[in-house]
Amino acid sequence: MNKIVNFLGKPRTIENVIKNRKISWLELFYDLIFAVVFSRLTESLLEHQTLTGFINAILTFFWLIWGWGKFSGYFDNHGNDSIINILIINIDMILIGLASIFIPEAVNGNFHYITWLYIILELFMGAVWIGLGIFDKTHGPAARVWGITCYSCNHCLRPLF
């Protein structure tokens, strides 16, 4: 296990604050994915200019922005150049990119596919936060709460199917 941890790296502890931290290219690309999300949302909303379309677009927006906030918070407090963090952000970008494919359907009222991707995203983020609790003893209790919150969101969404 130690060999795997040494190879993949560990997240930065919350006490290890990086002064004058610069945003990495990967984080900028991650934010660019959300520019695509906003573009897809506004384009879809223009096609469905109804109250229902607006409500569906707002719901989709909040689902995706919730995920963005959790991952951004993780990288602000624990991000570094380790292989594990690069894998985490790439998996998240892939899931958000896949979810953006189904934004027009969600705005039209069909949440089936985007909800499945959101469930996978929440399970993944829950695992990341719970795993973080193992490596960062100071932030462990709060990280476990975030992890449990992610899993709780899934239990609320599953009955929709």
Side-chain angles (χ1 to χ4, degrees), residues 47-149:
E47 291 176 10
H48 303 285
Q49 293 184 11
T50 63
L51 180 60
T52 306
F54 180 74
I55 291 169
N56 291 343
I58 293 294
L59 178 61
T60 304
F61 169 77
F62 280 114
W63 274 7
L64 294 171
I65 206 73
W66 171 262
W68 175 80
K70 283 187 290 190
F71 272 98
S72 295
Y74 170 80
F75 279 96
D76 286 344
N77 294 316
H78 304 285
N80 56 24
D81 292 334
S82 66
I83 293 173
I84 192 71
N85 279 327
I86 292 169
L87 286 172
I88 288 169
I89 199 167
N90 278 295
I91 290 169
D92 182 56
M93 282 192 295
I94 290 168
L95 291 172
I96 294 294
L98 288 172
S100 72
I101 293 170
F102 301 108
I103 287 174
E105 292 178 13
V107 172
N108 197 27
N110 181 4
F111 289 96
H112 184 75
Y113 296 112
I114 202 165
T115 303
W116 274 113
L117 282 163
Y118 187 73
I119 287 171
I120 293 167
L121 184 65
E122 286 294 306
L123 288 172
F124 176 64
M125 194 63 222
V128 168
W129 280 107
I130 289 172
L132 178 65
I134 296 168
F135 291 109
D136 189 351
K137 301 298 181 199
T138 304
H139 199 219
R144 282 188 287 280
V145 167
W146 272 109
I148 291 168
T149 302

Side-chain angles (χ1 to χ4, degrees), residues 29-55:
F29 187 66
Y30 175 73
D31 290 342
L32 187 59
I33 292 292
F34 283 91
V36 172
V37 166
F38 294 132
S39 171
R40 302 277 294 172
L41 271 169
T42 55
E43 180 182 296
S44 300
L45 189 55
L46 285 173
E47 291 176 10
H48 303 285
Q49 293 184 11
T50 63
L51 180 60
T52 306
F54 180 74
I55 291 169

